[in-house]
Amino acid sequence: VRDYGDAGALLMGTWGRELFTFMLILQLIFLTGSNCLTGTIALRHITSSGICSVVWSVVSAVILLLLSIPSSFADMAWLGYVDFISIVAAIGITIIATGIRGTDSTGGLAAVDWSATPQGDPTFSDGFIAISNIVFAYTFASCLFSFMDEMHTPKEFTKSIWSLGILQIVIYTVTGATIYAFVGVDVQSPALLSAGTLVSKVAFGIALPVIFISGAICTIVAGRLIHGRIYANSVTKYINTPKGWITWLTVITILTIISWVIAEAIPFFDDLLSITSALFTSGFSFYLPPIMWYVLIRKGPWYSKENLLTSLVNLFVFIFGLVVLVGGLYSSIQDIVSYLTLLSN
């Protein structure tokens, strides 16, 4: 199993391979698009210039394309450390800055307007877009097979999943909870914007590596999948010949352009994340893995003593994924329509 498409083949044969591969490529394009949009927001905010946002989006797309040129994860591995340091530093600065601002404000942290329950009578769409944005954090599941395929020691794959999952849950939970507690209902999206004008510029500057490296990784995963399918039975698939490099550069350029178009077509950060979560993350991270367990991994009846708890957990995850698919897609479309209607009026 080299990618999610191979997993689809195990479940549903050739049709499953093509469907899962198509979904995976689309998701990766949307993910690169979200990074392109984030990069646009960051560059526009850092410079505070009156330059049209389209110019910054083109700059973001070009940076993403250049970082996508390395054709293997081994070539990109060292950037992963830069990526991790970048996001942790940006998050740390934002948490500290919002904490200081909240403490120094009138009434201190006790006066911050936050609540553990929804405030302001949000609509179904508002609530579900918020849920979808949390779900978006777990899009990494779609790339796990692709990463495993190039691991130096594939038997360490399970350890890497546990490490990644626990680390992400801790970082996301601490970041979201503390910034919300320090800022309240006025927290912005992306949250780095909530740190104040000067500090947010610093935070965005430090976050630029993670914004562009993460987007480039998505392009590389999609590019390798497509390139590998084009040259499935040829040494050219290893991108070590002029023909291979020409095809590789062509593929990643096309993928980046499509991602840029999506970022321009859906210029609302929350809605782009929500659509991505509803269409793709709901499946790759939630309702498809339970199916794989039931069909490919489970040994014995689902109701047996050793399987019952796992069966119930997988059932819950499956249902949750379907709810995110339907609710998230409806909410995203509804929110975009409402925004466009407001603009037209």
Side-chain angles (χ1 to χ4, degrees):
V1 177
R2 296 160 298 177
D3 51 61
Y4 228 114
D6 287 340
L10 291 177
L11 286 174
M12 298 182 289
T14 303
W15 185 83
R17 181 193 302 278
E18 301 305 326
L19 175 62
F20 281 34
T21 299
F22 179 70
M23 288 176 59
L24 177 58
I25 292 173
L26 275 182
Q27 184 194 32
L28 293 168
I29 289 173
F30 268 76
L31 289 175
T32 303
S34 72
N35 284 87
C36 184
L37 179 56
T38 308
T40 303
I41 295 172
L43 292 173
R44 191 174 61 212
H45 185 72
I46 291 171
T47 58
S48 298
S49 66
I51 297 177
C52 178
S53 61
V54 175
V55 175
W56 291 123
S57 70
V58 172
V59 172
S60 295
V62 171
I63 295 174
L64 286 167
L65 176 60
L66 293 176
L67 287 173
S68 302
I69 292 177
S71 58
S72 72
F73 299 129
D75 296 331
M76 288 287 289
W78 68 273
L79 288 176
Y81 298 103
V82 177
D83 198 320
F84 180 73
I85 294 172
S86 169
I87 189 61
V88 171
I91 287 173
I93 290 173
T94 303
I95 292 175
I96 294 172
T98 52
I100 293 174
R101 291 187 69 190
T103 303
D104 293 341
S105 62
T106 304
L109 293 177
V112 176
D113 184 18
W114 73 273
S115 171
T117 57
Q119 294 178 282
D121 192 27
T123 63
F124 175 83
S125 295
D126 293 334
F128 221 96
I129 286 175
I131 292 174
S132 297
N133 285 349
I134 296 174
V135 169
F136 180 82
Y138 300 95
T139 53
F140 70 89
S142 61
C143 296
L144 289 180
F145 291 128
S146 300
F147 293 150
M148 179 182 66
D149 183 47
E150 290 200 24
M151 285 184 67
H152 178 273
T153 312
K155 66 180 182 180
E156 303 291 341
F157 180 59
T158 305
K159 292 180 183 178
S160 70
I161 293 178
W162 277 104
S163 302
L164 177 63
I166 293 173
L167 194 60
Q168 282 196 309
I169 290 172
V170 171
I171 291 176
Y172 290 146
T173 303
V174 170
T175 302
T178 53
I179 293 179
Y180 179 54
F182 293 154
V183 179
V185 295
D186 294 325
V187 66
Q188 299 183 57
S189 182
L192 298 187
L193 292 170
S194 303
T197 304
L198 178 59
V199 178
S200 63
K201 288 183 178 182
V202 174
F204 263 126
I206 294 175
L208 285 177
V210 71
I211 292 171
F212 294 120
I213 292 172
S214 298
I217 289 174
C218 294
T219 303
I220 291 173
V221 173
R224 286 184 63 80
L225 179 56
I226 295 172
H227 196 276
R229 292 290 296 272
I230 295 174
Y231 297 109
N233 300 312
S234 169
V235 71
T236 306
K237 70 179 180 180
Y238 298 111
I239 316 176
N240 56 0
T241 64
K243 181 180 179 181
W245 275 107
I246 291 173
T247 308
W248 171 253
L249 294 175
T250 301
V251 168
I252 62 172
T253 299
I254 293 173
L255 289 172
T256 303
I257 291 174
I258 296 174
S259 300
W260 175 77
V261 171
I262 290 175
E264 285 299 296
I266 312 175
F268 323 116
F269 188 72
D270 285 346
D271 289 326
L272 180 54
L273 299 191
S274 182
I275 289 176
T276 305
S277 297
L279 283 176
F280 308 114
T281 309
S282 61
F284 291 131
S285 298
F286 295 98
Y287 66 76
L288 290 177
I291 295 176
M292 294 179 190
W293 182 82
Y294 278 107
V295 176
L296 303 174
I297 300 175
R298 176 178 55 87
K299 296 179 180 179
W302 68 268
Y303 51 82
S304 64
K305 183 178 180 181
E306 60 272 17
N307 285 335
L308 185 58
L309 178 60
T310 307
S311 295
L312 294 176
V313 171
N314 275 287
L315 178 61
F316 171 77
V317 175
F318 175 78
I319 294 173
F320 177 79
L322 292 183
V323 171
V324 171
L325 171 63
V326 178
L329 194 57
Y330 167 81
S331 300
S332 303
I333 295 174
Q334 185 69 31
D335 196 59
I336 292 176
V337 170
S338 298
Y339 183 83
L340 293 177
T341 302
L342 183 64
L343 285 180
S344 63
N345 292 334

